[in-house]
Amino acid sequence: MKGFLLSLQSEFFKSRKTLGFWAAIIMPVLICTLVFFGMYSNVPKLIKMPGLSGMLMWRLYSGGILNVMGFLLPFFIILVAYSINSVEHKADTWKTLFSLPISKWAVYAAKYFYTMLMILLCLVLFLLLTIATGNLLGMLKPELKLADFHMEWALTQVYTKLFLASLGILSIQFLLSLVWSDFLKPMGIGFVCTVAGMISVGLQWDYAYLVPYSHPMMALSSMGLRNQRGQKMKLEFFVDLFTKDLYVGLAVGVVVFIAGYYIVQKKSVK
Amino acid sequence: MVIETNNLTFNFGNQTVVKSLSLQVPEGSIYGFLGPNGAGKTTTIKLLLNLLQTQSGDIKIFGLDYQHHRTQILKQVGSLIEQPAIYGHLTGRENLINRAQLLQIPHSRVDEMLDLVKLTNAAGKKASNYSLGMKQRLGIALAMLSDPKLLMLDEPTNGLDPNGIIEIRELLVRLVSEHKKTVFISSHLLAEIEKMATHVGIINFGELLFQGEIKELQSISQPMVLIETSSTVDAANLLTKNAIEVIEVKNESILVAFKSKENTAQINNLLNQNGYPVYSIHKVQKDLEKLFLDITKAPAR
């Protein structure tokens, strides 16, 4: 356990000057800022919308952010998984890592969990910034009625679901980036699979839930509207968190993570 | 023994890279592990560090095996394999701090190491901007950071200038003589090892061809007599006819096997009597470099 925590700390120390780490921070800040300004400059048009309500505005605002990031999430995972592993490939440090007086399992697991933490960091930032910039917009432009409605809980659920939906892809991309030192192979495979996942969701293929790369998009479409309990005329957003695609994603994530360790063990350290 | 292997064998696919290797590295020695490129040196070191899984035979480091004591062994080993493994996007100091944190070593040791390998002035520079020699020195600092009892260095002087090589050599000798460390160092250059090693192992095609103290290696080197004379080819024929073993004939000299002082005098007489003027005649020892080449030049199997 100590070895695991020390390795985790070392991962932070090594990655804090890399693009992968900063992408996890810059991406949410950039996207939320852009959507914020897009919405802000579009206020005159928006307030002319029929049936304008705080709920509709929140849906519009958070949807603007979610759609962009849902599309980018698989690519972000590909990038982070590559970035964390390429630090070692570039420096030729696998042999050093695996000859430390720390178990190989702890070294491998710490690397994986650190990559997972990067994705978590990115999504938590997205969540906080969506809520913060949404409320800021409501304060600056009260006519959008954003202050009338709250969807923090629904957003927390969507981002939680997105996080869980990314674990299948993460395990696969992590392994690909661990085995191959170049960017093109994991990137190429990840890109093709992501596009295939998007198409399978777009065409509503029956077995799309079996493709981990389609899970983030499926997670996005899992948010629906329903009547609030006991109040027939009041609607609320809800997220169907535990769906079969989520279980498939988690299962793939766990299996590939464990298999990855044995593949690394078998693979001679060059 | 600090390192002891027994019939260690390793195959890459169907190619045997290490063949029943039985190494014996005593405590407090500088063990020079010699062999030409591709002889199996790096594979052996990777096996010794548990980076490659042992397929057959066994390895004992400090009398312990990797199956049950991996962490315990590795805590006492510092290593440098091939080119140094350094994070180019971090500075020299950060590279050491990262390792110190992983091994829970006080940061004061980082400055000591920087000082030892003379990188204090360049410590704040990104390691990717280091010269090859500086990287090599940082790699050695990383290997020694935890103050290990055993240092395994794979070609550590690669890319160093003559001054750097001398510094590393002196450092290693000092570590062994003053701090009772054991150094296992591989190289393809005998001349480099000869100056510091106490023990030598010579490997080629994965097989250990010689192992022992450096003195033993010198003693198996066969003494010879070098004769400078005119028309060497004819002179060599004359010697052969008189049952003297000629080893090498050059334009200006002949090498024959040394038997005794008297025998050397007889050769001198024989040549003079037959009209071959002897300009010089003396006993020579085959140098280690040549010996090394002979040992490793065995035909490929």
Side-chain angles (χ1 to χ4, degrees), chain B:
Chain B
M1 290 291 153
V2 170
I3 300 176
E4 196 168 7
T5 71
N6 198 356
N7 278 322
L8 192 64
T9 300
F10 190 84
N11 303 299
F12 272 124
N14 51 16
Q15 191 195 352
T16 307
V17 190
V18 174
K19 269 183 224 163
S20 29
L21 199 65
S22 297
L23 291 174
Q24 305 261 331
V25 180
E27 197 177 345
S29 64
I30 298 185
Y31 187 103
F33 191 46
L34 287 162
N37 291 330
K41 298 188 300 283
T42 301
T43 306
T44 307
I45 292 190
K46 283 181 179 175
L47 283 164
L48 292 177
L49 284 169
N50 195 229
L51 284 169
L52 294 172
Q53 301 294 323
T54 311
Q55 293 168 342
S56 76
D58 61 62
I59 299 173
K60 285 225 160 66
I61 315 268
F62 305 113
L64 304 170
D65 61 34
Y66 272 113
Q67 223 174 351
H68 303 103
H69 307 279
R70 182 177 178 273
T71 313
Q72 212 180 325
I73 296 173
L74 291 175
K75 261 188 189 158
Q76 309 176 66
V77 179
S79 61
L80 171 67
I81 311 161
E82 293 169 314
Q83 62 273 57
I86 285 162
Y87 298 108
H89 66 290
L90 301 179
T91 66
R93 174 176 276 113
E94 283 170 336
N95 268 287
L96 284 160
I97 288 177
N98 176 50
R99 184 73 63 85
Q101 281 175 349
L102 270 171
L103 302 174
Q104 294 182 288
I105 294 163
H107 285 196
S108 56
R109 180 92 182 136
V110 167
D111 292 319
E112 266 174 56
M113 284 297 111
L114 285 168
D115 198 38
L116 185 76
V117 296
K118 301 201 171 82
L119 280 176
T120 308
N121 290 332
K125 226 166 85 170
K126 265 189 164 190
S128 56
N129 296 331
Y130 279 13
S131 69
L132 189 57
M134 288 161 91
K135 284 183 184 167
Q136 205 74 22
R137 279 176 4 230
L138 182 58
I140 291 171
L142 282 165
M144 301 203 316
L145 186 63
S146 63
D147 196 21
K149 280 193 202 158
L150 168 64
L151 267 176
M152 281 195 220
L153 307 171
D154 189 14
E155 316 244 348
T157 50
N158 258 359
L160 291 184
D161 53 25
N163 250 335
I165 294 177
I166 294 169
E167 275 171 26
I168 297 297
R169 193 189 299 146
E170 284 171 354
L171 177 69
L172 294 178
V173 170
R174 208 164 62 229
L175 279 174
V176 171
S177 61
E178 290 172 20
H179 301 277
K180 304 276 170 254
K181 309 282 179 202
T182 306
V183 177
F184 183 85
I185 179 171
S186 85
S187 178
H188 58 274
L189 299 169
L190 177 71
E192 187 189 299
I193 295 296
E194 203 186 336
K195 297 194 180 90
M196 59 175 154
T198 55
H199 293 70
V200 182
I202 297 178
I203 182 178
N204 201 15
F205 303 110
E207 264 179 295
L208 197 61
L209 303 172
F210 174 86
Q211 176 169 251
E213 289 187 33
I214 194 128
K215 283 179 274 177
E216 289 174 51
L217 184 64
Q218 280 154 350
S219 68
I220 61 166
S221 135
Q222 179 197 14
M224 290 167 298
V225 180
L226 181 75
I227 307 155
E228 267 189 281
T229 179
S230 64
S231 37
T232 50
V233 179
D234 296 337
N237 281 332
L238 172 74
L239 293 174
T240 311
K241 266 181 223 158
N242 287 280
I244 292 160
E245 186 193 340
V246 175
I247 295 168
E248 194 180 80
V249 183
K250 285 188 182 164
N251 274 342
E252 272 142 28
S253 64
I254 310 170
L255 263 180
V256 301
F258 173 82
K259 282 195 182 121
S260 62
K261 281 181 190 173
E262 293 73 25
N263 178 257
T264 308
Q266 280 166 13
I267 293 171
N268 190 20
N269 271 337
L270 184 69
L271 288 172
N272 278 325
Q273 281 164 10
N274 288 279
Y276 298 104
V278 176
Y279 307 129
S280 82
I281 182 164
H282 58 104
K283 186 177 156 191
V284 290
Q285 203 87 30
K286 200 184 210 180
D287 63 10
L288 285 181
E289 199 65 47
K290 227 173 178 176
L291 185 70
F292 173 58
L293 282 176
D294 284 352
I295 293 176
T296 54
K297 246 187 201 162
R301 270 159 285 179

Side-chain angles (χ1 to χ4, degrees), chain A residues 25-78:
Chain A
I25 294 168
I26 293 169
M27 199 169 90
V29 172
L30 192 71
I31 290 174
C32 289
T33 311
L34 286 176
V35 174
F36 174 84
F37 281 108
M39 197 94 163
Y40 185 84
S41 59
N42 220 8
V43 170
K45 225 193 243 171
L46 287 170
I47 51 173
K48 281 185 204 146
M49 279 172 87
L52 171 75
S53 69
M55 184 183 206
L56 179 74
M57 274 303 120
W58 267 109
R59 181 78 188 98
L60 211 63
Y61 186 68
S62 62
I65 294 172
L66 275 169
N67 286 337
V68 178
M69 75 88 47
F71 170 76
L72 289 178
L73 186 62
F75 298 106
F76 172 68
I77 298 169
I78 294 169

